[in-house]
């Protein structure tokens, strides 16, 4: 049974959503701790999140970004805000769909089931999550994890993107402009030191797995993946 996390501070709406979802054999859970939504998310590991924008303390955009740091599960915003900018911001922050209040519960169910089919159902069989393997080292860019010799380390979103671009560009060198564009979608306003700091952090995590000197600096150009298996 698919698990749905409802992040809605209106108890009446949250309860009605939960009731409707359960009628369709969906295991719906309501968060009551709006200071730490991630605590229940990490405990529950839901298949999909229904997320309001107007929440106590931190808004839905904030929690959407936090979820995206560790998960690619579908996120559907449900909000009374019906402006184009709000919908654009939701999608830019990692949402998959947007429903405006007042809404039809049947529409919510249809959209939830559509997202579940897309990610976990028949449509999902056409898509294979990217994986990188070399020697005993494995990297899962959508899970933000690297593994070696039974040890797993988590990467930040930027570290994962950085490693993915450098690794898939090998044996060629990933130049700095390419890294800026793919990781930050920006070239002009990113301090050159920002990239260097992220590379240093990534190297440190690789070193924690016993992987030494796998990212080579090419002076004045970029970085190259030069992994060598070590015992």
């Amino acid at each position: 049974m698919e698990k749905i996390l409802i992040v809605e501070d209106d108890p009446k709406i949250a309860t009605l959503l939960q009731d409707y979802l359960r009628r369709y054999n969906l295991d719906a859970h309501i968060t009551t701790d709006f200071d730490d939504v991630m605590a229940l998310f990490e405990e529950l590991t839901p298949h999909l999140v229904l997320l309001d924008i107007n929440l106590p303390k931190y808004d839905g955009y904030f929690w959407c970004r936090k979820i995206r740091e560790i998960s690619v599960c579908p996120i559907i915003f449900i909000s009374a805000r019906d402006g184009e900018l709000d919908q654009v911001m939701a999608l830019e922050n990692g949402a998959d769909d947007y429903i405006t209040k007042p809404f039809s519960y049947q529409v919510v169910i249809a959209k939830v089931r559509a997202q579940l089919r897309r990610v976990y159902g028949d449509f999902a069989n056409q898509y294979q999550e990217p994986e990188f393997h070399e020697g005993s080292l494995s990297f899962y860019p959508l899970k933000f994890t690297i593994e070696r010799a039974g040890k797993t380390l988590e990467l930040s979103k930027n570290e994962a993107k950085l490693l993915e671009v450098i690794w898939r560009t090998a044996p060629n060198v990933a130049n700095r402009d390419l890294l800026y564009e793919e990781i930050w979608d920006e070239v002009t306003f990113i301090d050159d030191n920002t990239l260097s700091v992220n590379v240093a952090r990534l190297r440190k995590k690789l070193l924690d797995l016993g992987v030494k000197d796998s990212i080579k600096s090419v002076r004045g150009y970029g970085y190259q993946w030069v992994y060598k298996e070590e015992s």
Side-chain angles (χ1 to χ4, degrees):
M1 183 184 297
E2 291 92 346
K3 293 176 288 187
I4 312 297
L5 176 60
I6 301 169
V7 186
E8 164 65 64
D9 65 333
D10 185 321
K12 182 178 180 180
I13 293 177
T15 301
L16 286 171
L17 280 170
Q18 184 182 52
D19 289 344
Y20 270 88
L21 289 165
R22 287 180 172 176
R23 289 181 193 177
Y24 287 85
N25 202 32
L26 295 167
D27 185 17
H29 298 256
I30 300 171
T31 185
T32 56
D33 183 1
F34 296 101
D35 290 339
D36 190 7
V37 170
M38 295 306 295
L40 180 56
F41 180 89
E42 292 175 0
E43 176 187 345
L44 185 65
T45 59
H47 295 85
L48 182 144
V49 177
L50 293 174
L51 181 61
D52 192 8
I53 295 178
N54 295 323
L55 297 170
K57 194 167 185 178
Y58 302 108
D59 64 20
Y61 301 134
F62 172 84
W63 292 119
C64 187
R65 292 193 300 271
K66 295 296 288 184
I67 291 170
R68 281 291 170 258
E69 289 178 3
I70 63 171
S71 174
V72 293
C73 79
I75 299 174
I76 301 177
F77 271 90
I78 297 181
S79 175
R81 299 188 188 183
D82 59 1
E84 288 186 3
L85 181 58
D86 296 305
Q87 297 184 43
V88 169
M89 287 183 62
L91 296 173
E92 289 292 329
N93 279 280
D96 297 279
D97 206 342
Y98 193 102
I99 301 172
T100 57
K101 299 176 182 177
F103 52 80
S104 161
Y105 286 94
Q106 290 299 324
V107 169
V108 173
I109 295 298
K111 285 181 175 285
V112 165
R113 295 176 72 175
Q115 289 294 333
L116 293 174
R117 285 196 306 271
R118 179 182 66 82
V119 178
Y120 310 105
D122 294 338
F123 300 151
N125 294 334
Q126 303 172 19
Y127 173 77
Q128 186 172 4
E129 180 178 332
E131 299 178 0
F132 293 80
H133 303 280
E134 194 163 352
S136 61
L137 183 67
S138 296
F139 167 48
Y140 304 93
L142 295 184
K143 296 178 182 176
F144 306 152
T145 59
I146 47 176
E147 301 177 359
R148 183 175 185 265
K151 183 178 181 180
T152 302
L153 290 180
E154 293 186 0
L155 303 175
S156 70
K157 180 179 179 180
N158 284 346
E159 290 166 351
K161 284 186 176 181
L162 180 62
L163 181 56
E164 181 180 6
V165 176
I166 294 175
W167 196 329
R168 66 175 161 80
T169 304
N172 297 323
V173 179
N175 68 64
R176 286 178 170 266
D177 286 346
L178 172 65
L179 294 168
Y180 288 139
E181 290 172 4
E182 294 217 21
I183 298 170
W184 289 282
D185 299 320
E186 183 61 74
V187 177
T188 308
F189 301 107
I190 296 296
D191 190 308
D192 198 49
N193 187 55
T194 301
L195 178 57
S196 299
V197 168
N198 277 270
V199 170
R201 291 173 178 166
L202 179 56
R203 283 172 169 158
K204 172 63 168 59
K205 290 187 177 180
L206 288 166
L207 188 59
D208 289 343
L209 289 178
V211 178
K212 303 176 182 178
D213 305 320
S214 57
I215 299 178
K216 176 184 176 182
S217 297
V218 179
R219 187 176 179 84
Y221 190 76
Y223 298 93
Q224 183 181 24
W225 182 248
V226 289
Y227 176 82
K228 292 183 180 180
E229 183 72 9
E230 298 183 29
S231 59

